[in-house]
Amino acid sequence: MSIRSEIIGFGHYLPNKVLTNDDLSKMVETSDEWIRTRTGIISRHIAQDEITSDIAGRAAAMALKNASVNPQDVDLLILATVTTDNTTPSTAAKVARDLGMRAGAPAFDISAACSGFVYALTMADNMIRLGQVKTAVVIGAETLSKIVDWTDRNTCVLFGDGGGAVVLRAKEGKGDASDTGILSTCIFADGSMYDNLKTTGGVSSTQNAGVVFMNGKEVFKHAVGSLSQAAETAMSDAGINKEDIDWLVPHQANIRIIESVREKLDLPEDKVIISLDHHGNTSAASIPLALSENIESGRLKKGDLVVLTAMGAGFTWGGAAVRL
Ligand code: ACO
């Protein structure tokens, strides 16, 4: 027997304001046709009077309701984000307060950009399997619109705001791939790629947040290899093959990156979850957002074997195999 982390609740939240490609074409020299064909994105959501803790809190509240778990019974909260409310304390601490979690339960942020949710899931899963905690909330939430340069067409068309969350609970399993819950996780980083995707500032260097800068071609090249490798590692660590999986849920960055990964992994089109068309790249929020929306619509079902794969600034990347 071994302890598994089962996902018992899913939640997501997107701010009300929608920014379409046509709206963007009035702000910078671009077109709906260029953005659709190069990225697959049609629209994105933009936070107006909400900040990251609001979005994270709404996604987490939905996940807790979906799991029928009282916030007082949560032992751990991890929030993956690069757009924190304040430099310190962590935005996770604020979300824990807003949700009404009990004093004493640990809460912290993780910064691993678009891989943040997979990093956070890995930490929570390990703490559950070690017996340190029983019930954990893992959130990815971003207000990327606050760090995008709205005059730079190379980047502003790509990103959006939103959040997604899951509730994990310890459960006894057999220790093989027939278990429900998280079967494997893996995370990686390569700091030599630091300058290819970053903000132009930060607290220590410029005393401001800076704006997103991206070497798009370099990111594209590495993203395909890293996303494929993380998915393959997650599958082999879980003792499963690509034929076994029901769904690949990749980080929702760009349809062409996802399509190249699908081809590299030799998976059929109908096994890949795509949701970026209506929310763009929401960084750490993208995977839990895609999971929750597709659980809600009934596309993802209890018992499905799902592989998650993410890649982002750092560069960081990682994956997980999960039986829902
Ligand atoms: N509208 C119109 N034209 C544009 C736009 C735009 N929004 N942005 C760039 N262009 C222009 C460029 O200026 C360039 O013009 P030029 O030839 O006169 O210099 C031309 O389009 C082609 O530019 P390329 O960079 O060659 O375009 P490419 O086909 O590579 O697509 C893109 C650019 C979409 C950014 C691509 O490189 C990409 O997908 N990179 C990965 C980036 C990504 O998804 N990042 C997300 C964050 S990282 C992550 O989440 C993994």
mmCIF file of all heavy atoms in Angstrom, residues 28-31 34-35 38-39 114 153-155 157-159 197 214 216-217 219-220 223 227 251 253-254 256-257 281 311-313, ligand 1:
data_model
loop_
_atom_site.group_PDB
_atom_site.id
_atom_site.type_symbol
_atom_site.label_atom_id
_atom_site.label_comp_id
_atom_site.label_asym_id
_atom_site.label_seq_id
_atom_site.Cartn_x
_atom_site.Cartn_y
_atom_site.Cartn_z
ATOM 1 N N VAL A 28 -2.442 47.865 -31.172
ATOM 2 C CA VAL A 28 -1.122 47.685 -31.799
ATOM 3 C C VAL A 28 -1.319 47.220 -33.233
ATOM 4 O O VAL A 28 -2.435 46.801 -33.604
ATOM 5 C CB VAL A 28 -0.257 46.625 -31.044
ATOM 6 C CG1 VAL A 28 0.243 47.136 -29.715
ATOM 7 C CG2 VAL A 28 -0.993 45.307 -30.881
ATOM 8 N N GLU A 29 -0.259 47.249 -34.035
ATOM 9 C CA GLU A 29 -0.378 46.840 -35.435
ATOM 10 C C GLU A 29 -0.412 45.317 -35.524
ATOM 11 O O GLU A 29 0.636 44.646 -35.526
ATOM 12 C CB GLU A 29 0.797 47.408 -36.230
ATOM 13 C CG GLU A 29 0.458 47.600 -37.688
ATOM 14 C CD GLU A 29 1.659 48.083 -38.456
ATOM 15 O OE1 GLU A 29 2.415 48.916 -37.928
ATOM 16 O OE2 GLU A 29 1.856 47.581 -39.581
ATOM 17 N N THR A 30 -1.602 44.777 -35.494
ATOM 18 C CA THR A 30 -1.776 43.322 -35.581
ATOM 19 C C THR A 30 -3.136 43.050 -36.192
ATOM 20 O O THR A 30 -3.852 43.974 -36.568
ATOM 21 C CB THR A 30 -1.640 42.676 -34.183
ATOM 22 O OG1 THR A 30 -1.570 41.257 -34.341
ATOM 23 C CG2 THR A 30 -2.806 43.013 -33.257
ATOM 24 N N SER A 31 -3.487 41.763 -36.329
ATOM 25 C CA SER A 31 -4.802 41.428 -36.880
ATOM 26 C C SER A 31 -5.293 40.128 -36.264
ATOM 27 O O SER A 31 -4.491 39.315 -35.784
ATOM 28 C CB SER A 31 -4.698 41.248 -38.400
ATOM 29 O OG SER A 31 -3.869 40.133 -38.658
ATOM 30 N N TRP A 34 -3.603 37.208 -37.981
ATOM 31 C CA TRP A 34 -2.218 36.919 -37.564
ATOM 32 C C TRP A 34 -2.226 36.190 -36.221
ATOM 33 O O TRP A 34 -1.557 35.163 -36.054
ATOM 34 C CB TRP A 34 -1.387 38.216 -37.453
ATOM 35 C CG TRP A 34 0.102 37.952 -37.349
ATOM 36 C CD1 TRP A 34 1.001 37.977 -38.366
ATOM 37 C CD2 TRP A 34 0.847 37.592 -36.164
ATOM 38 N NE1 TRP A 34 2.262 37.667 -37.902
ATOM 39 C CE2 TRP A 34 2.197 37.423 -36.551
ATOM 40 C CE3 TRP A 34 0.522 37.392 -34.833
ATOM 41 C CZ2 TRP A 34 3.206 37.067 -35.668
ATOM 42 C CZ3 TRP A 34 1.524 37.032 -33.930
ATOM 43 C CH2 TRP A 34 2.854 36.885 -34.352
ATOM 44 N N ILE A 35 -2.990 36.699 -35.271
ATOM 45 C CA ILE A 35 -2.957 36.112 -33.922
ATOM 46 C C ILE A 35 -3.531 34.693 -33.941
ATOM 47 O O ILE A 35 -2.963 33.765 -33.363
ATOM 48 C CB ILE A 35 -3.719 36.997 -32.903
ATOM 49 C CG1 ILE A 35 -3.123 38.411 -32.865
ATOM 50 C CG2 ILE A 35 -3.663 36.386 -31.509
ATOM 51 C CD1 ILE A 35 -3.942 39.433 -32.064
ATOM 52 N N ARG A 38 -1.001 32.279 -35.848
ATOM 53 C CA ARG A 38 0.303 32.073 -35.192
ATOM 54 C C ARG A 38 0.185 31.526 -33.774
ATOM 55 O O ARG A 38 1.139 30.982 -33.252
ATOM 56 C CB ARG A 38 1.088 33.391 -35.118
ATOM 57 C CG ARG A 38 1.355 34.062 -36.430
ATOM 58 C CD ARG A 38 2.313 33.260 -37.284
ATOM 59 N NE ARG A 38 2.475 33.894 -38.582
ATOM 60 C CZ ARG A 38 3.562 34.516 -38.976
ATOM 61 N NH1 ARG A 38 4.606 34.582 -38.202
ATOM 62 N NH2 ARG A 38 3.611 35.048 -40.178
ATOM 63 N N THR A 39 -0.990 31.744 -33.132
ATOM 64 C CA THR A 39 -1.068 31.355 -31.716
ATOM 65 C C THR A 39 -2.290 30.497 -31.371
ATOM 66 O O THR A 39 -2.284 29.795 -30.368
ATOM 67 C CB THR A 39 -1.124 32.597 -30.790
ATOM 68 O OG1 THR A 39 -2.411 33.217 -30.908
ATOM 69 C CG2 THR A 39 -0.050 33.610 -31.130
ATOM 70 N N CYS A 114 5.270 29.594 -16.094
ATOM 71 C CA CYS A 114 4.201 28.763 -16.660
ATOM 72 C C CYS A 114 4.250 27.319 -16.155
ATOM 73 O O CYS A 114 3.292 26.572 -16.314
ATOM 74 C CB CYS A 114 4.268 28.782 -18.180
ATOM 75 S SG CYS A 114 4.183 30.446 -18.842
ATOM 76 N N ARG A 153 3.625 44.348 -29.688
ATOM 77 C CA ARG A 153 2.762 43.341 -30.336
ATOM 78 C C ARG A 153 3.356 41.934 -30.271
ATOM 79 O O ARG A 153 2.657 40.944 -30.458
ATOM 80 C CB ARG A 153 2.491 43.734 -31.782
ATOM 81 C CG ARG A 153 3.708 43.648 -32.690
ATOM 82 C CD ARG A 153 3.344 43.962 -34.117
ATOM 83 N NE ARG A 153 4.507 43.796 -34.990
ATOM 84 C CZ ARG A 153 4.459 43.922 -36.288
ATOM 85 N NH1 ARG A 153 3.328 44.235 -36.882
ATOM 86 N NH2 ARG A 153 5.545 43.738 -37.024
ATOM 87 N N ASN A 154 4.685 41.852 -30.041
ATOM 88 C CA ASN A 154 5.311 40.524 -29.952
ATOM 89 C C ASN A 154 4.840 39.740 -28.739
ATOM 90 O O ASN A 154 4.905 38.513 -28.719
ATOM 91 C CB ASN A 154 6.832 40.654 -29.861
ATOM 92 C CG ASN A 154 7.424 41.147 -31.151
ATOM 93 O OD1 ASN A 154 7.319 40.480 -32.170
ATOM 94 N ND2 ASN A 154 8.010 42.329 -31.126
ATOM 95 N N THR A 155 4.416 40.446 -27.692
ATOM 96 C CA THR A 155 4.019 39.746 -26.459
ATOM 97 C C THR A 155 2.574 40.015 -26.024
ATOM 98 O O THR A 155 1.921 39.124 -25.493
ATOM 99 C CB THR A 155 4.949 40.142 -25.290
ATOM 100 O OG1 THR A 155 4.999 41.575 -25.208
ATOM 101 C CG2 THR A 155 6.347 39.597 -25.469
ATOM 102 N N VAL A 157 -0.230 40.158 -27.360
ATOM 103 C CA VAL A 157 -1.334 39.362 -27.928
ATOM 104 C C VAL A 157 -1.429 37.981 -27.282
ATOM 105 O O VAL A 157 -2.419 37.267 -27.466
ATOM 106 C CB VAL A 157 -1.176 39.208 -29.460
ATOM 107 C CG1 VAL A 157 -1.152 40.577 -30.129
ATOM 108 C CG2 VAL A 157 0.070 38.407 -29.826
ATOM 109 N N LEU A 158 -0.393 37.583 -26.542
ATOM 110 C CA LEU A 158 -0.300 36.186 -26.081
ATOM 111 C C LEU A 158 -0.967 35.916 -24.731
ATOM 112 O O LEU A 158 -1.422 34.800 -24.490
ATOM 113 C CB LEU A 158 1.176 35.778 -25.943
ATOM 114 C CG LEU A 158 2.035 35.863 -27.209
ATOM 115 C CD1 LEU A 158 3.490 35.553 -26.861
ATOM 116 C CD2 LEU A 158 1.525 34.891 -28.261
ATOM 117 N N PHE A 159 -0.982 36.922 -23.852
ATOM 118 C CA PHE A 159 -1.280 36.626 -22.441
ATOM 119 C C PHE A 159 -2.665 37.062 -21.987
ATOM 120 O O PHE A 159 -3.277 37.940 -22.587
ATOM 121 C CB PHE A 159 -0.205 37.276 -21.557
ATOM 122 C CG PHE A 159 1.185 36.766 -21.854
ATOM 123 C CD1 PHE A 159 2.070 37.515 -22.618
ATOM 124 C CD2 PHE A 159 1.584 35.514 -21.409
ATOM 125 C CE1 PHE A 159 3.342 37.041 -22.916
ATOM 126 C CE2 PHE A 159 2.860 35.029 -21.705
ATOM 127 C CZ PHE A 159 3.738 35.798 -22.456
ATOM 128 N N LEU A 197 13.205 34.689 -21.575
ATOM 129 C CA LEU A 197 11.813 34.989 -21.220
ATOM 130 C C LEU A 197 11.829 35.519 -19.799
ATOM 131 O O LEU A 197 12.146 34.777 -18.865
ATOM 132 C CB LEU A 197 10.960 33.698 -21.327
ATOM 133 C CG LEU A 197 9.490 33.804 -20.996
ATOM 134 C CD1 LEU A 197 8.791 34.841 -21.856
ATOM 135 C CD2 LEU A 197 8.808 32.441 -21.198
ATOM 136 N N MET A 214 10.303 38.633 -24.353
ATOM 137 C CA MET A 214 10.396 37.240 -24.796
ATOM 138 C C MET A 214 11.171 37.117 -26.096
ATOM 139 O O MET A 214 10.940 37.865 -27.042
ATOM 140 C CB MET A 214 8.975 36.703 -25.005
ATOM 141 C CG MET A 214 8.940 35.250 -25.425
ATOM 142 S SD MET A 214 7.255 34.702 -25.695
ATOM 143 C CE MET A 214 6.849 35.610 -27.150
ATOM 144 N N GLY A 216 10.865 34.982 -28.688
ATOM 145 C CA GLY A 216 9.803 34.045 -29.098
ATOM 146 C C GLY A 216 10.295 32.785 -29.793
ATOM 147 O O GLY A 216 9.841 31.686 -29.501
ATOM 148 N N LYS A 217 11.248 32.957 -30.707
ATOM 149 C CA LYS A 217 11.722 31.785 -31.471
ATOM 150 C C LYS A 217 12.449 30.787 -30.576
ATOM 151 O O LYS A 217 12.299 29.568 -30.722
ATOM 152 C CB LYS A 217 12.650 32.247 -32.596
ATOM 153 C CG LYS A 217 11.895 32.843 -33.763
ATOM 154 C CD LYS A 217 12.798 32.921 -34.976
ATOM 155 C CE LYS A 217 12.328 33.906 -36.026
ATOM 156 N NZ LYS A 217 10.930 33.913 -36.366
ATOM 157 N N VAL A 219 12.064 30.454 -27.316
ATOM 158 C CA VAL A 219 11.064 29.836 -26.422
ATOM 159 C C VAL A 219 10.351 28.701 -27.169
ATOM 160 O O VAL A 219 10.218 27.591 -26.661
ATOM 161 C CB VAL A 219 10.024 30.877 -25.928
ATOM 162 C CG1 VAL A 219 8.897 30.187 -25.169
ATOM 163 C CG2 VAL A 219 10.684 31.922 -25.047
ATOM 164 N N PHE A 220 9.945 28.999 -28.389
ATOM 165 C CA PHE A 220 9.215 28.000 -29.187
ATOM 166 C C PHE A 220 10.027 26.714 -29.330
ATOM 167 O O PHE A 220 9.544 25.607 -29.083
ATOM 168 C CB PHE A 220 8.912 28.588 -30.573
ATOM 169 C CG PHE A 220 7.848 27.836 -31.323
ATOM 170 C CD1 PHE A 220 6.602 28.401 -31.522
ATOM 171 C CD2 PHE A 220 8.082 26.554 -31.822
ATOM 172 C CE1 PHE A 220 5.611 27.709 -32.202
ATOM 173 C CE2 PHE A 220 7.097 25.857 -32.498
ATOM 174 C CZ PHE A 220 5.857 26.441 -32.692
ATOM 175 N N ALA A 223 10.387 24.951 -26.012
ATOM 176 C CA ALA A 223 9.099 24.529 -25.448
ATOM 177 C C ALA A 223 8.695 23.160 -25.988
ATOM 178 O O ALA A 223 8.263 22.286 -25.223
ATOM 179 C CB ALA A 223 8.017 25.560 -25.757
ATOM 180 N N LEU A 227 8.337 20.231 -23.243
ATOM 181 C CA LEU A 227 6.977 19.733 -22.970
ATOM 182 C C LEU A 227 6.872 18.245 -23.305
ATOM 183 O O LEU A 227 6.235 17.474 -22.579
ATOM 184 C CB LEU A 227 5.947 20.533 -23.782
ATOM 185 C CG LEU A 227 5.717 21.976 -23.314
ATOM 186 C CD1 LEU A 227 5.042 22.804 -24.410
ATOM 187 C CD2 LEU A 227 4.866 22.012 -22.049
ATOM 188 N N HIS A 251 0.412 22.867 -21.070
ATOM 189 C CA HIS A 251 0.357 24.305 -20.805
ATOM 190 C C HIS A 251 -0.194 24.994 -22.049
ATOM 191 O O HIS A 251 0.248 24.727 -23.169
ATOM 192 C CB HIS A 251 1.765 24.813 -20.480
ATOM 193 C CG HIS A 251 1.861 26.310 -20.492
ATOM 194 N ND1 HIS A 251 0.963 27.108 -19.823
ATOM 195 C CD2 HIS A 251 2.736 27.151 -21.109
ATOM 196 C CE1 HIS A 251 1.289 28.376 -20.015
ATOM 197 N NE2 HIS A 251 2.361 28.432 -20.791
ATOM 198 N N ALA A 253 -0.070 27.663 -24.152
ATOM 199 C CA ALA A 253 0.720 28.835 -24.563
ATOM 200 C C ALA A 253 0.415 29.212 -25.997
ATOM 201 O O ALA A 253 0.177 30.380 -26.304
ATOM 202 C CB ALA A 253 2.205 28.557 -24.417
ATOM 203 N N ASN A 254 0.391 28.215 -26.865
ATOM 204 C CA ASN A 254 0.359 28.498 -28.288
ATOM 205 C C ASN A 254 -0.049 27.211 -29.011
ATOM 206 O O ASN A 254 0.536 26.149 -28.769
ATOM 207 C CB ASN A 254 1.781 28.935 -28.692
ATOM 208 C CG ASN A 254 1.903 29.286 -30.137
ATOM 209 O OD1 ASN A 254 1.476 28.534 -31.004
ATOM 210 N ND2 ASN A 254 2.497 30.424 -30.406
ATOM 211 N N ARG A 256 0.439 26.178 -31.944
ATOM 212 C CA ARG A 256 1.473 25.538 -32.783
ATOM 213 C C ARG A 256 2.466 24.764 -31.925
ATOM 214 O O ARG A 256 2.967 23.727 -32.326
ATOM 215 C CB ARG A 256 2.186 26.581 -33.643
ATOM 216 C CG ARG A 256 1.259 27.163 -34.732
ATOM 217 C CD ARG A 256 1.999 28.087 -35.645
ATOM 218 N NE ARG A 256 2.657 29.132 -34.881
ATOM 219 C CZ ARG A 256 3.764 29.770 -35.254
ATOM 220 N NH1 ARG A 256 4.354 29.452 -36.381
ATOM 221 N NH2 ARG A 256 4.292 30.710 -34.512
ATOM 222 N N ILE A 257 2.749 25.271 -30.704
ATOM 223 C CA ILE A 257 3.616 24.519 -29.789
ATOM 224 C C ILE A 257 2.901 23.224 -29.399
ATOM 225 O O ILE A 257 3.481 22.133 -29.444
ATOM 226 C CB ILE A 257 3.951 25.347 -28.517
ATOM 227 C CG1 ILE A 257 4.807 26.566 -28.877
ATOM 228 C CG2 ILE A 257 4.671 24.484 -27.481
ATOM 229 C CD1 ILE A 257 5.118 27.499 -27.700
ATOM 230 N N ASN A 281 -2.586 32.711 -22.980
ATOM 231 C CA ASN A 281 -1.600 32.108 -22.069
ATOM 232 C C ASN A 281 -1.768 32.744 -20.683
ATOM 233 O O ASN A 281 -1.454 33.917 -20.497
ATOM 234 C CB ASN A 281 -0.195 32.358 -22.623
ATOM 235 C CG ASN A 281 0.880 31.705 -21.774
ATOM 236 O OD1 ASN A 281 0.633 31.282 -20.648
ATOM 237 N ND2 ASN A 281 2.078 31.637 -22.320
ATOM 238 N N MET A 311 5.815 24.238 -19.465
ATOM 239 C CA MET A 311 7.151 24.811 -19.672
ATOM 240 C C MET A 311 7.054 26.326 -19.569
ATOM 241 O O MET A 311 6.054 26.903 -19.998
ATOM 242 C CB MET A 311 7.638 24.420 -21.070
ATOM 243 C CG MET A 311 9.017 24.870 -21.424
ATOM 244 S SD MET A 311 9.016 26.502 -22.190
ATOM 245 C CE MET A 311 10.762 26.745 -22.447
ATOM 246 N N GLY A 312 8.042 26.959 -18.987
ATOM 247 C CA GLY A 312 7.977 28.408 -18.882
ATOM 248 C C GLY A 312 9.306 29.047 -18.574
ATOM 249 O O GLY A 312 10.367 28.409 -18.671
ATOM 250 N N ALA A 313 9.232 30.321 -18.172
ATOM 251 C CA ALA A 313 10.433 31.122 -17.930
ATOM 252 C C ALA A 313 11.329 30.452 -16.909
ATOM 253 O O ALA A 313 10.875 29.742 -16.015
ATOM 254 C CB ALA A 313 10.038 32.516 -17.458
HETATM 255 N N1 ACO B 1 0.898 40.930 -35.163
HETATM 256 C C1 ACO B 1 1.436 41.052 -36.372
HETATM 257 N N2 ACO B 1 2.723 40.827 -36.628
HETATM 258 C C2 ACO B 1 3.495 40.456 -35.609
HETATM 259 C C3 ACO B 1 3.005 40.292 -34.295
HETATM 260 C C4 ACO B 1 1.642 40.564 -34.101
HETATM 261 N N3 ACO B 1 1.059 40.445 -32.892
HETATM 262 N N4 ACO B 1 4.012 39.911 -33.505
HETATM 263 C C5 ACO B 1 5.096 39.800 -34.259
HETATM 264 N N5 ACO B 1 4.801 40.134 -35.532
HETATM 265 C C6 ACO B 1 5.667 40.201 -36.687
HETATM 266 C C7 ACO B 1 7.115 40.266 -36.322
HETATM 267 O O1 ACO B 1 7.471 41.591 -36.019
HETATM 268 C C8 ACO B 1 7.779 39.762 -37.567
HETATM 269 O O2 ACO B 1 7.828 40.806 -38.470
HETATM 270 P P1 ACO B 1 9.137 41.024 -39.375
HETATM 271 O O3 ACO B 1 9.274 39.770 -40.192
HETATM 272 O O4 ACO B 1 8.788 42.234 -40.174
HETATM 273 O O5 ACO B 1 10.253 41.213 -38.410
HETATM 274 C C9 ACO B 1 6.773 38.753 -38.114
HETATM 275 O O6 ACO B 1 5.543 38.989 -37.421
HETATM 276 C C10 ACO B 1 7.149 37.313 -37.870
HETATM 277 O O7 ACO B 1 7.656 37.207 -36.578
HETATM 278 P P2 ACO B 1 8.131 35.833 -36.054
HETATM 279 O O8 ACO B 1 8.736 35.992 -34.697
HETATM 280 O O9 ACO B 1 8.914 35.114 -37.109
HETATM 281 O O10 ACO B 1 6.734 35.100 -35.923
HETATM 282 P P3 ACO B 1 6.526 33.632 -35.514
HETATM 283 O O11 ACO B 1 5.835 32.915 -36.595
HETATM 284 O O12 ACO B 1 7.744 33.017 -34.933
HETATM 285 O O13 ACO B 1 5.488 33.805 -34.331
HETATM 286 C C11 ACO B 1 5.388 33.874 -31.949
HETATM 287 C C12 ACO B 1 5.793 34.609 -33.200
HETATM 288 C C13 ACO B 1 3.894 33.586 -31.995
HETATM 289 C C14 ACO B 1 5.672 34.735 -30.720
HETATM 290 C C15 ACO B 1 6.203 32.559 -31.887
HETATM 291 O O14 ACO B 1 7.565 32.807 -31.932
HETATM 292 C C16 ACO B 1 5.878 31.757 -30.677
HETATM 293 O O15 ACO B 1 4.826 31.159 -30.603
HETATM 294 N N6 ACO B 1 6.804 31.665 -29.707
HETATM 295 C C17 ACO B 1 6.539 31.003 -28.462
HETATM 296 C C18 ACO B 1 6.103 32.064 -27.590
HETATM 297 C C19 ACO B 1 5.080 31.709 -26.578
HETATM 298 O O16 ACO B 1 4.101 31.055 -26.774
HETATM 299 N N7 ACO B 1 5.353 32.266 -25.421
HETATM 300 C C20 ACO B 1 4.492 32.151 -24.341
HETATM 301 C C21 ACO B 1 5.249 32.312 -23.093
HETATM 302 S S1 ACO B 1 6.309 30.981 -22.875
HETATM 303 C C22 ACO B 1 5.439 29.711 -22.530
HETATM 304 O O17 ACO B 1 4.368 29.865 -22.043
HETATM 305 C C23 ACO B 1 5.972 28.404 -22.854
#
